[in-house]
Amino acid sequence: MQLMTEKGAAGGGLRERKKRATRAALAEAAVRLAAEHGAEKVTVEAISAAAGVSVRTFFNYFDSRDEAFVVIDADAGARMRRAVLEAPADLSPLAALREAMAAELAEAEQQHELWRLHAEVLHASPHLLARGVGAHMAAEADLADAIALRLRGDGDTGGDGPGLYPRLLAAVAGAAVRTSMDHWSAHQEEAAFLDVFHEVFTLLAAGLPAPSA
């Protein structure tokens, strides 16, 4: 789940907030330019100019031009992992993951246009889409590790990886976010995004009972 947000910035100092703001500006500039002109025609110089920074500054945040199109917020995964691990002990793994994701998605309605453009950019370029899928899988694996650590409580995910339950929970939660976004996008006048998001997780927590006729 690649998130376009500056959530968590309040927890850092001024320098950290400025760094997050610069990265967000570069990512937004990259996505908007790619949506307008096609990713293959967008240069690092153009992205940097649109964000009001130097090319040198660009490479302080991204290793390559393509990374700016794909990795919108490199810190989102670490923030969610930390939130899962630090959630109150009485929360179930699903509830801990729900709260971690909700914190990242709090600005989803304001960021909806950029999310849509980001998806368009990735789907218009097969190699960027492949990198995006890879980034999503890596983020999902990190969440599974965090869930496993929370369940074990001993700081060790085990030699064989996080295990079936953590992997399934991380994958299902990712699908729940996508389903929430798709549904809300088609019914924005009916409910706020976070209300849809919480409804989806309520259904998951209940075991996905069939809706009444």
Side-chain angles (χ1 to χ4, degrees), residues 4-185:
M4 203 167 302
T5 175
E6 293 181 48
K7 278 292 173 185
L14 177 60
R15 182 171 180 271
E16 190 62 27
R17 292 198 297 272
K18 286 183 175 180
K19 287 173 62 178
R20 287 189 176 124
T22 299
R23 185 186 181 93
L26 283 164
E28 179 174 347
V31 168
R32 291 191 180 280
L33 287 170
E36 182 177 357
H37 303 290
E40 70 283 354
K41 296 181 180 178
V42 177
T43 65
V44 170
E45 288 77 9
I47 296 170
S48 303
V53 301
S54 67
V55 169
R56 180 178 179 179
T57 296
F58 175 94
F59 285 110
N60 286 337
Y61 293 91
F62 300 100
D63 292 332
S64 68
R65 184 201 63 161
D66 285 358
E67 188 180 353
F69 302 130
V70 175
V71 183
I72 300 301
D73 186 346
D75 297 326
R79 290 196 299 271
M80 285 193 290
R81 178 186 175 93
R82 184 167 59 249
V84 167
L85 293 174
E86 295 177 355
D90 60 344
L91 286 185
S92 68
L94 177 62
L97 190 51
R98 178 198 65 209
E99 294 306 305
M101 288 181 159
E104 290 297 322
L105 292 165
E107 297 177 358
E109 293 179 61
Q110 290 73 29
Q111 299 289 345
H112 177 245
E113 181 201 6
L114 284 175
W115 283 30
R116 177 181 59 80
L117 292 177
H118 181 235
E120 290 178 1
V121 168
L122 294 189
H123 283 86
S125 177
H127 83 280
L128 290 180
L129 181 59
R131 288 192 61 167
V133 170
H136 171 76
M137 292 178 65
E140 191 175 284
D142 284 344
L143 279 179
D145 283 341
I147 295 165
L149 286 171
R150 182 178 176 84
L151 288 170
R152 291 175 62 89
D154 59 4
D156 182 8
T157 58
D160 296 326
L164 180 61
Y165 176 82
R167 287 173 175 167
L168 178 60
L169 180 53
V172 168
V177 171
R178 293 191 295 275
T179 300
S180 301
M181 182 58 72
D182 289 345
H183 181 84
W184 175 77
S185 295

